[in-house]
Protein backbone atom coordinates (compact mmCIF):
# COMPACT_ATOMS: atom_id res chain seq x y z
CA UNK A 1 0.00 0.00 0.00
CA UNK A 2 1.40 3.42 -0.93
CA UNK A 3 1.41 6.37 1.43
CA UNK A 4 -1.14 9.01 0.49
CA UNK A 5 0.40 12.41 -0.30
CA UNK A 6 -1.27 15.66 0.73
CA UNK A 7 -2.91 17.49 -2.16
CA UNK A 8 -0.70 19.99 -3.96
CA UNK A 9 -1.91 23.55 -4.18
CA UNK A 10 -1.72 25.10 -7.62
CA UNK A 11 -0.80 28.78 -7.50
CA UNK A 12 -2.32 31.21 -7.95
CA UNK A 13 -5.15 29.75 -5.90
CA UNK A 14 -8.23 31.97 -5.81
CA UNK A 15 -10.62 31.73 -2.84
CA UNK A 16 -8.00 30.19 -0.55
CA UNK A 17 -9.73 29.99 2.86
CA UNK A 18 -7.94 31.12 6.02
CA UNK A 19 -9.09 31.14 9.64
CA UNK A 20 -7.19 33.13 12.28
CA UNK A 21 -7.92 32.49 15.96
CA UNK A 22 -6.87 34.76 18.80
CA UNK A 23 -7.88 36.21 22.13
CA UNK A 24 -11.12 38.17 21.81
CA UNK A 25 -10.58 41.94 21.74
CA UNK A 26 -12.31 44.90 20.13
CA UNK A 27 -9.56 45.40 17.55
CA UNK A 28 -8.58 41.79 16.75
CA UNK A 29 -10.48 41.75 13.43
CA UNK A 30 -8.86 45.04 12.37
CA UNK A 31 -5.41 43.78 13.35
CA UNK A 32 -5.86 40.60 11.28
CA UNK A 33 -7.14 42.53 8.25
CA UNK A 34 -4.30 45.06 8.45
CA UNK A 35 -1.71 42.27 8.60
CA UNK A 36 -3.27 40.18 5.82
CA UNK A 37 -3.54 43.17 3.47
CA UNK A 38 0.28 43.38 3.46
CA UNK A 39 0.41 39.96 1.79
CA UNK A 40 -2.94 39.86 -0.03
CA UNK A 41 -3.94 43.37 -1.13
CA UNK A 42 -6.93 41.90 -2.99
CA UNK A 43 -8.62 40.83 0.28
CA UNK A 44 -12.34 41.62 0.13
CA UNK A 45 -12.75 43.19 3.57
CA UNK A 46 -16.56 43.08 3.25
CA UNK A 47 -16.45 39.26 3.09
CA UNK A 48 -14.45 38.86 6.34
CA UNK A 49 -16.48 37.10 9.04
CA UNK A 50 -15.89 37.06 12.79
CA UNK A 51 -17.16 34.57 15.33
CA UNK A 52 -16.69 34.54 19.10
CA UNK A 53 -16.08 31.28 20.96
CA UNK A 54 -18.85 29.89 23.18
CA UNK A 55 -17.41 31.51 26.30
CA UNK A 56 -16.29 34.65 24.45
CA UNK A 57 -12.63 34.12 25.27
CA UNK A 58 -11.48 33.66 21.67
CA UNK A 59 -12.41 35.09 18.32
CA UNK A 60 -12.02 33.60 14.86
CA UNK A 61 -11.62 35.73 11.74
CA UNK A 62 -12.36 33.97 8.45
CA UNK A 63 -11.69 35.15 4.92
CA UNK A 64 -10.49 34.03 1.50
CA UNK A 65 -7.53 35.37 -0.44
CA UNK A 66 -5.86 34.66 -3.74
CA UNK A 67 -2.83 32.67 -2.62
CA UNK A 68 0.06 33.47 -4.93
CA UNK A 69 2.60 31.03 -3.52
CA UNK A 70 3.86 29.09 -0.52
CA UNK A 71 6.21 31.94 0.44
CA UNK A 72 3.30 34.39 0.69
CA UNK A 73 1.37 32.02 2.95
CA UNK A 74 4.38 31.25 5.16
CA UNK A 75 5.31 34.92 5.62
CA UNK A 76 1.73 35.89 6.44
CA UNK A 77 1.50 33.03 8.96
CA UNK A 78 4.77 34.05 10.63
CA UNK A 79 3.75 37.71 10.78
CA UNK A 80 0.39 36.88 12.37
CA UNK A 81 1.91 34.45 14.90
CA UNK A 82 4.80 36.76 15.84
CA UNK A 83 2.37 39.33 17.24
CA UNK A 84 1.54 37.17 20.24
CA UNK A 85 -2.14 37.96 19.64
CA UNK A 86 -2.78 35.05 17.29
CA UNK A 87 -3.08 31.55 18.73
CA UNK A 88 -3.66 29.62 15.50
CA UNK A 89 -3.77 30.11 11.72
CA UNK A 90 -5.56 27.50 9.65
Amino acid sequence: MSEQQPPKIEFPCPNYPIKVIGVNSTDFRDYVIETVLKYAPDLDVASVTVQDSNKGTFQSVRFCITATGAEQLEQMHQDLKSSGRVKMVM
Side-chain angles (χ1 to χ4, degrees):
M1 208 180 257
S2 66
E3 190 175 317
Q4 188 175 8
Q5 297 294 319
K8 300 271 185 199
I9 300 171
E10 292 186 31
F11 296 106
C13 180
N15 298 314
Y16 185 84
I18 298 177
K19 180 178 180 179
V20 180
I21 300 171
V23 176
N24 192 346
S25 66
T26 57
D27 67 337
F28 185 67
R29 175 187 180 272
D30 294 337
Y31 165 73
V32 171
I33 289 172
E34 181 181 314
T35 303
V36 170
L37 282 171
K38 294 179 200 174
Y39 302 96
D42 66 330
L43 172 66
D44 178 10
V45 176
S47 69
V48 175
T49 61
V50 177
Q51 184 174 359
D52 293 344
S53 65
N54 289 337
K55 294 182 181 180
T57 306
F58 297 99
Q59 197 170 62
S60 68
V61 180
R62 297 176 191 213
F63 51 89
C64 291
I65 64 167
T66 299
T68 58
E71 184 176 321
Q72 172 206 33
L73 296 174
E74 289 169 16
Q75 288 177 346
M76 182 171 52
H77 180 269
Q78 288 176 1
D79 197 359
L80 287 164
K81 290 288 287 179
S82 70
S83 70
R85 300 182 69 180
V86 173
K87 300 298 179 192
M88 190 180 309
V89 180
M90 301 189 292

